[in-house]
Amino acid sequence: MNVPSVSQRIINTDVPHIEIVLNRYAHLDPPPANLAQGVSRWNPPPSVFRAASDGSLSETRTHKYNAVLGLADLRDALHSKLEQDCGLDMTGQEIMVCAGANQAFVNAALALLDPGDKVVLPRPYYFSHLCSLQLAGACVEYCDFNKATLLPDMAQLRQLLRQPEVKMVVITTPGNPSGAVYSRAMIEEIAQLCREHGTWLVIDEAYCDFVHDGAQHYSPCANALGFDSIIHIYSFSKSYGLAGWRVGYMVYPQRISEHIQKVQDTVPTHAAVASQRLALAASSGGSSSSSSSAWVKQQVAALHTCREAMWSQVSPYGTVRTNGAFYFFVPLPGGPASEDAAIELLAMQCGVLVTPGSAFGAPGHIRVSYGSLPEPECLEAIARLGRGLRSLAQRAENGPEG
Amino acid sequence: MNVPSVSQRIINTDVPHIEIVLNRYAHLDPPPANLAQGVSRWNPPPSVFRAASDGSLSETRTHKYNAVLGLADLRDALHSKLEQDCGLDMTGQEIMVCAGANQAFVNAALALLDPGDKVVLPRPYYFSHLCSLQLAGACVEYCDFNKATLLPDMAQLRQLLRQPEVKMVVITTPGNPSGAVYSRAMIEEIAQLCREHGTWLVIDEAYCDFVHDGAQHYSPCANALGFDSIIHIYSFSKSYGLAGWRVGYMVYPQRISEHIQKVQDTVPTHAAVASQRLALAASSGGSSSSSSSAWVKQQVAALHTCREAMWSQVSPYGTVRTNGAFYFFVPLPGGPASEDAAIELLAMQCGVLVTPGSAFGAPGHIRVSYGSLPEPECLEAIARLGRGLRSLAQRAENGPEG
């Protein structure tokens, strides 16, 4: 008997980093504070609770298959929101509701990339993007980051795009894990480069509502740029606290509609109808979409205390004060070689879980989230994180024997 | 400006057949009766409605991320069910809850197949299997079917498996679209062939609860066969009427756990937590898993009237009386060339939607479902289907000008 093997594709695919961190320290008692996962501390808005309890989740339509593209009323609501609130010109653009933003990205990867196609992925990247690209068999070309901004080194990006066979560029703004918000000028330059080189531009905007200190999120309007090869990816998980419901959406040029639908029909068929109904309730807030935006803005603004507390602990180590998402990407005092030991010390001695920078292609850092825990718990965890970082800094100063 | 193209992979992927049939005739008024889609006529069992209204869908744990493998209590319940009700020896086997059986199959395809790997897929196949294999870049080798049984031509299957590079065999029992239930002897022979040739065997058992006229569904126990390369795929959509919730599961040897988890983490992260909670409520029925099985058996048995009514209309055309799922796979009187016209006539003149055989790799047939509509509506649609088939038979007899 021969035992059949798994694919080289999956061997070449990165591991599920968050699951590994969570599982490795799941036995600890008390459980460590989770600063590792990209999850919002809030539950969904009141409109969702009303929708969940008004009986509509028990209706027949919730149990049956529905449209591959998503519920018509949710797609209409998202269309209006993108046109009115975000100022996108949606002419020629289509919306597809997906089982989360990751699954939307998988749709793009499988529909647009063939094995061996080159994709430019700036570090530090969101790890699920890398995994999707690997599953699609793409050849990933990394672009380094500017250490002062955590944004791409534009000279290198221009260089990489000169290769004729680059098929796609992927950016995340606000950044995960960096928290860096791409400037309008930089996004427009990247879009222009993609336009010139005939390259897809995929922009993951899962954290589009998460901007601080007056920063602005810029979503490039494909039509205004005269460029019909931009794919936007959005999530309900973060803004509306709906992570467990697995619902997000993508916006793409209608010309690829039949192609994207093939992947969607094959993989999830559609996002769970109940999840879509709650997403509709979330995005319509109470009476209008602006009240929903106001609710999200309020939640994000209330992260201020934890953000500042976190900043005061991480700023001594050369951390960039980025203005998006709910992360800081902290250089480890001991450099890349200290990463494993740092994660271990923070979990075992300080009771905090953080994500290793190597998960994002930037070893020697940790990603810490100030958005995942209720304020008192978060402040306590941040204090412990601070002690851990000081201890790591002392060790680094004293050398390995210190 | 160059406009970037889509992938050859997606161009080579089959279209979403059901969505196309539904959309093509969506404008008709009154709407045609849907005998095309593989959906059960019932809503979920009472235990699901209790779970949906007891407040647990509003709890924080429903909104947050959960384990990639699925909820621990659901996995435990499924483990017991498979061991106790189905008699599987689960030693060394692992369960993963997925966002539907299709997404489970995608996990297997991406984790086990590299581009160019050969996969044996007996016709008539379930179309989503083909699409997943195409997305994975596999090279599909079709096996013809025995016209008297709609089961694989075993001589050809043996022949195909002699090719050293075959990596996987995919079967569906009870069959979709055939309704054919594989015999224990045939499954054991296929499993034995896979074992000898070092080939993965994927068995889609989405319709495992749908057997009629005393037929038995046989699920080969990997351990009893001394063969740790079987993957079972199950769905909650059909048995429990939970199609809209997108939840199913897969069973696979633990040795590939880390690989399967990589795909799962990248694509849906996990099935929606609420969907998993309802799946748990469904499978635990009321007090015990056997009461849940009894509920499903009752629903399936109640299909009898529609099944017999359908049979009386489709039997004159050489249809095989299969004993599984809720389909008959009907040879069209006019043969393969008549397929498009037949679908059109049935929709436009008779008000019934059916699925073309070409969607399943067997042109010149239609798949009709007697499980999707409430009984009175179904019986009426079946009568109209009967008239349509008689009209098609007359046309075929009279020739194209008749």
Side-chain angles (χ1 to χ4, degrees):
Chain A
M1 179 177 71
N2 309 306
V3 174
S5 58
V6 299
S7 62
Q8 198 55 48
R9 168 215 309 278
I10 202 71
I11 290 169
N12 294 344
T13 297
D14 213 12
V15 297
H17 292 282
I18 297 294
E19 189 84 351
I20 288 172
V21 167
L22 299 183
N23 286 344
R24 184 172 298 156
Y25 301 106
H27 64 284
L28 296 183
D29 186 23
N34 186 352
L35 303 176
Q37 201 164 25
V39 65
S40 315
R41 69 189 193 190
W42 48 85
N43 277 337
S47 53
V48 166
F49 287 91
R50 283 195 297 275
S53 58
D54 70 3
S56 63
L57 297 193
S58 287
E59 290 172 11
T60 298
R61 60 176 172 167
T62 313
H63 309 311
K64 303 295 180 191
Y65 289 113
N66 213 299
V68 166
L69 284 173
L71 299 182
D73 44 3
L74 175 56
R75 294 175 65 231
D76 286 349
L78 295 173
H79 192 278
S80 304
K81 176 190 156 81
L82 291 170
E83 282 207 326
Q84 287 159 26
D85 299 2
C86 308
L88 293 190
D89 173 2
M90 292 288 288
T91 317
Q93 307 294 314
E94 186 166 82
I95 293 172
M96 176 185 281
V97 185
C98 295
N102 276 5
Q103 190 255 311
F105 189 85
V106 167
N107 283 1
L110 291 176
L112 306 179
L113 301 172
D114 281 311
D117 278 348
K118 287 190 179 172
V119 177
V120 173
L121 185 65
R123 303 180 200 262
Y125 50 75
Y126 170 44
F127 45 70
S128 287
H129 291 162
L130 178 62
C131 293
S132 294
L133 297 171
Q134 289 165 329
L135 288 178
C139 171
V140 178
E141 305 255 327
Y142 302 98
C143 177
D144 286 327
F145 58 93
N146 177 326
K147 288 196 167 49
T149 62
L150 303 184
L151 288 166
D153 174 333
M154 285 302 292
Q156 199 190 351
L157 188 69
R158 279 180 221 112
Q159 191 69 37
L160 286 167
L161 271 167
R162 271 187 211 117
Q163 305 170 93
E165 62 277 44
V166 171
K167 190 80 188 289
M168 182 187 282
V169 174
V170 178
I171 64 174
T172 306
T173 180
N176 174 8
S178 67
V181 181
Y182 281 62
S183 69
R184 175 170 183 154
M186 187 179 272
I187 294 188
E188 286 185 347
E189 182 179 351
I190 294 171
Q192 178 60 23
L193 285 168
C194 289
R195 183 170 179 261
E196 279 164 23
H197 294 286
T199 300
W200 288 104
L201 174 57
V202 179
I203 311 183
D204 189 330
E205 305 180 40
Y207 293 92
C208 61
D209 294 317
F210 292 75
V211 282
H212 314 281
D213 299 350
Q216 294 284 323
H217 167 67
Y218 175 66
S219 187
C221 178
N223 289 327
L225 298 172
F227 178 43
D228 80 338
S229 305
I230 300 181
I231 291 172
H232 301 268
I233 290 178
Y234 301 94
S235 174
F236 282 93
S237 298
K238 319 297 177 189
S239 302
Y240 300 102
L242 283 166
W245 292 83
R246 313 310 307 123
V247 57
Y249 57 109
M250 63 192 303
V251 175
Y252 49 82
Q254 261 162 8
R255 69 179 168 93
I256 61 166
S257 177
E258 62 170 312
H259 305 290
I260 292 282
Q261 286 189 61
K262 284 181 179 181
V263 198
Q264 178 79 354
D265 189 56
T266 302
V267 186
T269 311
H270 53 65
V273 177
S275 303
Q276 295 190 65
R277 294 208 62 75
L278 295 194
L280 175 61
S283 46
S284 56
S287 50
S288 72
S289 87
S290 60
S291 79
S292 149
S293 300
W295 184 90
V296 174
K297 273 199 176 69
Q298 220 171 20
Q299 310 305 315
V300 172
L303 293 175
H304 179 77
T305 309
C306 290
R307 175 173 160 82
E308 292 303 330
M310 183 78 92
W311 173 248
S312 76
Q313 298 295 351
V314 301
S315 52
Y317 311 103
T319 308
V320 180
R321 187 175 164 97
T322 52
N323 289 327
F326 40 50
Y327 303 120
F328 287 121
F329 199 54
V330 185
L332 284 171
S338 70
E339 202 180 82
D340 284 349
I343 304 287
E344 184 86 359
L345 178 141
L346 292 172
M348 304 296 291
Q349 292 181 30
C350 310
V352 293
L353 299 183
V354 302
T355 317
S358 55
F360 310 98
H365 295 77
I366 53 170
R367 183 190 76 175
V368 291
S369 167
Y370 54 82
S372 58
L373 296 174
E375 191 169 301
E377 209 178 313
C378 192
L379 293 175
E380 207 194 301
I382 287 169
R384 294 202 303 269
L385 171 72
R387 285 199 289 280
L389 289 172
R390 284 192 292 280
S391 161
L392 290 167
Q394 273 163 14
R395 285 190 189 195
E397 211 167 285
N398 298 342
E401 305 304 317
Chain B
M1 179 177 70
N2 309 306
V3 174
S5 58
V6 299
S7 63
Q8 198 55 47
R9 168 215 309 277
I10 202 71
I11 291 169
N12 294 344
T13 297
D14 213 13
V15 297
H17 292 282
I18 297 293
E19 189 84 351
I20 287 172
V21 167
L22 299 183
N23 286 344
R24 184 173 297 155
Y25 301 106
H27 64 284
L28 295 182
D29 185 23
N34 186 352
L35 304 176
Q37 200 164 26
V39 65
S40 313
R41 68 189 193 191
W42 49 86
N43 277 338
S47 52
V48 166
F49 288 91
R50 283 195 297 275
S53 57
D54 70 3
S56 63
L57 296 193
S58 287
E59 289 171 11
T60 297
R61 60 176 171 168
T62 313
H63 308 310
K64 302 295 181 192
Y65 288 112
N66 212 299
V68 166
L69 283 173
L71 299 182
D73 45 3
L74 175 56
R75 292 175 66 232
D76 286 348
L78 295 172
H79 192 278
S80 302
K81 176 190 156 82
L82 290 170
E83 282 208 325
Q84 287 159 27
D85 299 2
C86 308
L88 293 190
D89 173 1
M90 292 289 288
T91 316
Q93 306 294 313
E94 186 166 81
I95 294 172
M96 177 185 280
V97 185
C98 295
N102 277 4
Q103 190 255 312
F105 190 85
V106 167
N107 283 1
L110 292 177
L112 305 180
L113 300 172
D114 281 311
D117 277 348
K118 287 190 178 172
V119 176
V120 172
L121 184 66
R123 300 181 201 263
Y125 51 75
Y126 170 45
F127 45 70
S128 288
H129 291 163
L130 178 62
C131 293
S132 295
L133 297 171
Q134 289 165 329
L135 288 178
C139 171
V140 177
E141 305 255 326
Y142 302 98
C143 177
D144 286 328
F145 57 94
N146 177 325
K147 287 195 168 51
T149 61
L150 302 184
L151 288 165
D153 174 332
M154 285 301 293
Q156 198 189 352
L157 188 69
R158 277 180 222 112
Q159 190 69 38
L160 286 167
L161 271 166
R162 273 190 209 115
Q163 304 170 93
E165 63 276 45
V166 171
K167 190 81 188 286
M168 183 187 281
V169 174
V170 178
I171 65 174
T172 305
T173 180
N176 174 7
S178 68
V181 181
Y182 281 62
S183 69
R184 175 171 183 153
M186 187 178 272
I187 294 188
E188 287 185 346
E189 182 178 351
I190 294 171
Q192 177 61 21
L193 285 168
C194 289
R195 183 170 179 261
E196 279 165 23
H197 293 286
T199 301
W200 289 104
L201 174 57
V202 179
I203 311 183
D204 188 330
E205 305 180 40
Y207 294 92
C208 61
D209 294 316
F210 292 75
V211 282
H212 315 280
D213 301 350
Q216 295 284 321
H217 168 66
Y218 174 65
S219 186
C221 178
N223 290 326
L225 297 173
F227 179 42
D228 80 339
S229 306
I230 300 181
I231 291 172
H232 301 268
I233 290 177
Y234 301 95
S235 174
F236 282 92
S237 298
K238 319 297 176 188
S239 303
Y240 300 101
L242 283 166
W245 292 84
R246 314 309 307 123
V247 57
Y249 57 108
M250 64 193 300
V251 175
Y252 49 82
Q254 261 161 8
R255 70 179 168 92
I256 61 166
S257 177
E258 62 169 312
H259 306 290
I260 293 282
Q261 286 190 61
K262 283 181 180 182
V263 198
Q264 179 77 354
D265 189 56
T266 303
V267 185
T269 312
H270 54 64
V273 177
S275 303
Q276 295 190 64
R277 294 208 61 77
L278 296 194
L280 175 62
S283 46
S284 57
S287 49
S288 72
S289 87
S290 60
S291 80
S292 150
S293 301
W295 184 89
V296 174
K297 274 200 175 67
Q298 219 171 21
Q299 309 305 313
V300 173
L303 294 174
H304 179 78
T305 309
C306 290
R307 174 172 160 83
E308 291 304 329
M310 183 78 93
W311 174 247
S312 76
Q313 298 295 350
V314 301
S315 52
Y317 310 103
T319 308
V320 180
R321 187 175 165 95
T322 51
N323 290 326
F326 39 50
Y327 303 120
F328 287 121
F329 199 55
V330 186
L332 285 171
S338 70
E339 202 180 81
D340 284 349
I343 304 286
E344 184 86 358
L345 178 141
L346 292 171
M348 302 297 290
Q349 292 181 31
C350 309
V352 293
L353 298 183
V354 302
T355 317
S358 54
F360 310 98
H365 296 77
I366 52 170
R367 184 190 76 174
V368 291
S369 168
Y370 54 83
S372 58
L373 297 174
E375 191 168 301
E377 210 179 311
C378 192
L379 293 175
E380 207 194 300
I382 287 169
R384 294 203 303 271
L385 171 71
R387 285 198 289 280
L389 289 172
R390 285 192 291 282
S391 161
L392 290 167
Q394 273 163 15
R395 286 188 187 195
E397 210 167 286
N398 299 340
E401 306 303 317

